[in-house]
Amino acid sequence: MRSHILVVALFIMCSALASPISAKETTAGKSALPDKAHLQKIWDGWATLDPTNVAQFYASGPHTFFDIAPLKYSSWDEYQKNVRNVLADYTSAKFTVNNDAELQPAGKYVWGSATVNEEMTHKGGKVDTGTFRWTMVFEQQGGKWLIVHEHVSIPAQ
């Protein structure tokens, strides 16, 4: 009986010592994976019509971003600079990430896709509404999941 108690006590002590180390090893330097709420934060930032408000979600450096117009940007700096001209024609915007959003971990990346409902009001008062497709690739950099590739498109009419 005494040896049984000793074995159980030893097992509990070893488990208690091993658990905190394992938890630290699996979470050290890593942030939670992106989720639908994170995706919505990105689009809430775009709804301000100021790319500065979404810069925190995009990796700097040479990455490819495809947008509805113009066709392609080769870095976040280029994207941020040129999309300002496109957004300058609008007074307000609202974007809603739909429930079809999917995110898939893939090694050091997370890739995802979603459809996004949009409502954008031009300076002249005309309102554009629709749904577009959004595909993105995140990479963890500096403890944050940043978009390193993005593709936004509208269905062919």
Side-chain angles (χ1 to χ4, degrees), residues 54-69:
V54 292
Q56 65 182 323
F57 300 111
Y58 289 81
S60 59
H63 300 287
T64 303
F65 305 104
F66 293 102
D67 204 341
I68 294 167

Side-chain angles (χ1 to χ4, degrees), residues 9-60:
L10 188 59
F11 175 77
I12 291 171
M13 190 168 62
C14 288
S15 296
L17 290 173
S19 294
I21 293 169
S22 297
K24 285 180 185 173
E25 286 175 353
T26 58
T27 60
K30 295 188 178 184
S31 61
L33 293 174
D35 59 11
K36 184 179 178 225
H38 184 76
L39 301 180
Q40 187 61 56
K41 277 186 192 178
I42 295 167
W43 284 102
D44 290 345
W46 279 114
T48 68
L49 303 174
D50 182 355
T52 306
N53 294 326
V54 292
Q56 65 182 323
F57 300 111
Y58 289 81
S60 59

Side-chain angles (χ1 to χ4, degrees), residues 43-44 46-49 87 90-96 117-122 128:
W43 284 102
D44 290 345
W46 279 114
T48 68
L49 303 174
L87 297 176
Y90 295 92
T91 59
S92 67
K94 179 180 180 186
F95 302 102
T96 305
N117 292 333
E118 57 103 0
E119 181 178 303
M120 297 180 73
T121 305
H122 290 266
D128 293 333

